Amino acid sequence: MKIVLISTYELGHQPFGLASPRAWLTRAGHEVGCVDLAVEALPEGSVLEADLIAFYLPMHTATRLALPVIERARQLNPNARLACYGLYAPINAELLRGLGVEAIAGGEFESALVALADGVSVPEISEISLARQAFLKPEREGLPELGLYAKLRLNGDSKLVAYTEASRGCKHMCRHCPVTPVYNGVFRIVAREIVLEDIRQQVAAGAKHVTFGDPDFFNGPTHAMAIVQALHAEFPGVTYDATIKIEHLRQHCKLLATLKETGCLFVTSAVESLEDAVLRKLDKNHTRQDFEETVRDMREIGLALQPTFLAFTPWTTMESYRELLRTLAELDLVEQVAPVQLALRLLITRGSKLLELEDIRSVVSEFDFKALTYPWKHADASMDAFASQVFRLVSAMQTQKRSRSEIFSAVWEAAGAGPLPQFAASPPSAYVDEPWYCCAEPVPV
C-alpha cells in the first residue's frame, strides 16, 4: 500500500511522529512517504497516488493547521483512506470524521496505523490504545534536513537540534494538559537502546544538541538518567534539554547535579501560575514556594530553568499578572522566559478535565468547531481586552526581532506595574529558538 504521513507543525522539530510510524509501516511492507508542512509544500502528486493518507496531530496548533489540508487531500484523492493520529486526534474525532477521516488513532498509534494499512476494519481499531508496544528505531531518512528546524542558540552561536522521545503519556493528571484525556495517568517508555539509536542517527546528520520531548522526563527518573548518562558517555560534546515538572524537580533534586554533569543546558517546566489557589485548581501538585526554591537550587548548580506560564486564565487579575512580572524580574528570569509566555491564554479543549470545575463551566460557551476550543470570557471584560493588547504587543515586537528584555519592559509598562526594577539584560545562556508552549493557544479567543 502507498501511504503518505503528513505533519503540519511540531514546535520546530523534525517530527518523531513521522519517523516512528514510518519505521513500523515500512517493516510491514508498505511504501511510505513523509511530508512536514512546517518546512515544505504539500506534494500533490504523492497525495494523488496514495492509498492511505494519515495526519499527525500532536498539538492544538497542528490540528487547526491540518483541517484545510485534510479537505484538500480529500478533494485531490477522494478514493484514498484518511486517518488522523496523535494526542489531538481522539479528542477531535467528531470533527475529523465530519471531514471524511475514516480512522482515529490516539495513544500508542503505531500499531493501529499498521493494522489499518494491513486492512483491519476500522471498528476493530481502538481510538485510544495504551497497550504496551516495542518501539522501533525511527526511520528519518528522507525527512527534511535538520537545518530547516529550530536551532539551539548558545553564546551567539547556533547548533542543529535532534528531537526524540524517551517516553509517552504522563502519570500525572493536570487538568489543563492535553495528555490527560488520552493517557489518563498512564505513561509508556521507549526502550533505552531505541532512544540512543535515534539520537545516533541525528548526531550523524549534524545535531549537537538533543531535545527530549517527553511530557515529563522524570516520569521514569531511572530510565531517563540511564539514557542521559549513556548519551554523555558516547557523545560528551552533545548537550540536551528536557521538560520536567516542578514537583519532580523537587522530589528528585539530588539528580539535578547529574543532569548538569551529563550536558543538560536547561530544563523547561510548566509552572503555569504563581497563585497557589490556581495551582490547586489545575492539579499541578506544586506551590509557588516550590517554584522559587527550584529556581534557586538549579541556579546554584548552573542549570537553567525555563518556566512556562498560563498568563491569562479566568482567575487572572491585573494584580496577579503584575505580580507574575515582578516575580520574574526579582528572580532574574526575564531572559529565561520566552515572550510568548507572557501572552498565553488558557485553552479548553474537548475532554479537558477543566470542565469538571464549576467556575470553568460558568464562563465557557458552546464548543467552537473552527477554533477547536470552548471559548471563554473573563468575568472582568477589561482582562480580556488587556490579554489581547499583550498578545498584539508581544507579536509585533517579536516580528521586529526585539530582545526578550525589551519585550518584557514593554509588557511591564502596558501592565502599569510601576517603576521597572533592574534585571539582567544579557542574553540567556542557551535556548531553542522556537517558542515553547503546550497547553495554551497563543491567540486570545
Side-chain angles (χ1 to χ4, degrees):
M1 176 179 280
K2 290 186 177 181
I3 301 171
V4 176
L5 304 178
I6 298 177
S7 174
T8 56
Y9 178 64
E10 196 181 4
L11 289 171
H13 307 306
Q14 187 188 70
F16 184 91
L18 294 183
S20 180
R22 183 184 193 182
W24 285 64
L25 290 162
T26 300
R27 185 182 68 169
H30 301 286
E31 182 181 333
V32 186
C34 293
V35 181
D36 185 359
L37 297 181
V39 297
E40 59 186 334
L42 181 70
E44 295 191 350
S46 297
V47 171
L48 284 167
E49 296 175 357
D51 301 301
L52 170 64
I53 306 169
F55 295 84
Y56 178 46
L57 309 179
M59 56 183 297
H60 182 261
T61 301
T63 307
R64 291 186 64 176
L65 291 171
L67 297 182
V69 187
I70 293 172
E71 293 184 302
R72 179 59 178 158
R74 188 178 59 174
Q75 292 169 357
L76 287 170
N77 188 349
N79 295 320
R81 304 175 75 186
L82 301 182
C84 290
Y85 63 100
L87 277 180
Y88 275 77
I91 65 176
N92 292 293
E94 180 183 355
L95 171 64
L96 296 171
R97 287 202 172 92
L99 295 175
V101 173
E102 176 184 354
I104 304 293
E108 307 309 279
F109 50 73
E110 286 89 349
S111 56
L113 289 174
V114 171
L116 182 65
D118 285 346
V120 174
S121 65
V122 170
E124 296 180 57
I125 299 173
S126 172
E127 279 191 6
I128 298 176
S129 172
L130 301 183
R132 298 181 186 277
Q133 62 180 25
F135 285 85
L136 303 177
K137 173 187 172 183
E139 190 173 307
R140 296 183 178 273
E141 185 177 352
L143 291 181
E145 62 183 50
L146 291 179
L148 296 174
Y149 293 95
K151 311 291 192 306
L152 176 78
R153 303 296 177 177
L154 178 62
N155 299 324
D157 295 328
S158 66
K159 297 183 178 182
L160 297 185
V161 177
Y163 175 87
T164 195
E165 297 175 5
S167 66
R168 279 197 190 142
C170 186
K171 63 184 180 182
H172 298 276
M173 298 179 67
C174 302
R175 286 189 183 275
H176 58 302
C177 181
V179 177
T180 297
V182 175
Y183 280 89
N184 199 33
V186 173
F187 85 102
R188 296 285 182 249
I189 67 168
V190 181
R192 182 195 317 173
E193 189 55 32
I194 295 298
V195 178
L196 293 172
E197 286 183 4
D198 190 25
I199 292 172
R200 289 183 190 114
Q201 65 181 338
Q202 295 180 79
V203 170
K208 301 296 184 183
H209 179 84
V210 179
T211 289
F212 288 100
D214 310 43
D216 192 303
F217 198 52
F218 273 5
N219 268 318
T222 301
H223 174 61
M225 297 309 294
I227 288 173
V228 297
Q229 287 170 330
L231 167 63
H232 185 63
E234 186 170 352
F235 301 109
V238 173
T239 56
Y240 67 91
D241 69 89
T243 298
I244 305 175
K245 284 171 62 70
I246 292 295
E247 175 186 3
H248 285 163
L249 291 171
R250 301 302 303 149
Q251 183 180 354
H252 304 293
C253 59
K254 292 182 180 179
L255 298 179
L256 299 183
T258 305
L259 289 179
K260 173 66 176 178
E261 292 165 3
T262 54
C264 185
L265 293 181
F266 60 89
V267 171
T268 299
S269 192
V271 177
E272 313 301 34
S273 175
L274 299 182
E275 298 180 86
D276 287 345
V278 175
L279 292 170
R280 287 193 294 271
K281 289 180 184 292
L282 298 177
D283 283 348
K284 286 299 297 179
N285 291 326
H286 74 256
T287 64
R288 173 176 178 154
Q289 181 178 345
D290 291 331
F291 162 60
E292 294 180 349
E293 290 177 356
T294 298
V295 172
R296 286 190 283 269
D297 288 350
M298 293 180 67
R299 186 163 286 154
E300 284 182 5
I301 64 173
L303 186 58
L305 180 69
Q306 296 194 357
T308 66
F309 297 95
L310 295 172
F312 294 99
T313 73
W315 308 291
T316 304
T317 65
M318 185 58 73
E319 181 50 37
S320 71
Y321 187 82
R322 291 168 180 156
E323 177 61 16
L324 169 63
L325 299 180
R326 283 194 290 266
T327 301
L328 295 180
E330 290 168 2
L331 294 179
D332 194 16
L333 288 172
V334 171
E335 294 290 356
Q336 301 305 129
V337 176
V340 70
Q341 297 299 325
L342 306 177
L344 291 182
R345 180 181 168 92
L346 180 67
L347 180 71
I348 306 173
T349 63
R350 286 278 203 189
S352 174
K353 286 177 66 65
L354 286 167
L355 295 167
E356 296 176 359
L357 301 176
E358 175 57 34
D359 43 358
I360 290 293
R361 293 197 300 271
S362 67
V363 299
V364 300
S365 53
E366 292 296 317
F367 187 77
D368 184 331
F369 283 93
K370 182 178 180 180
L372 303 183
T373 63
Y374 287 93
W376 60 270
K377 292 183 179 181
H378 199 286
D380 180 353
S382 67
M383 286 304 303
D384 286 336
F386 178 64
S388 296
Q389 177 189 357
V390 172
F391 176 74
R392 292 193 300 270
L393 176 62
V394 169
S395 297
M397 294 188 74
Q398 286 187 315
T399 300
Q400 298 164 6
K401 306 295 185 183
R402 305 291 286 276
S403 70
R404 289 184 173 187
S405 59
E406 288 175 321
I407 297 175
F408 182 87
S409 298
V411 172
W412 178 284
E413 181 177 354
L420 184 66
Q422 293 293 318
F423 56 84
S426 58
S429 56
Y431 66 99
V432 175
D433 58 11
E434 183 82 7
W436 188 100
Y437 58 91
C438 175
C439 305
E441 167 70 1
V443 182
V445 176

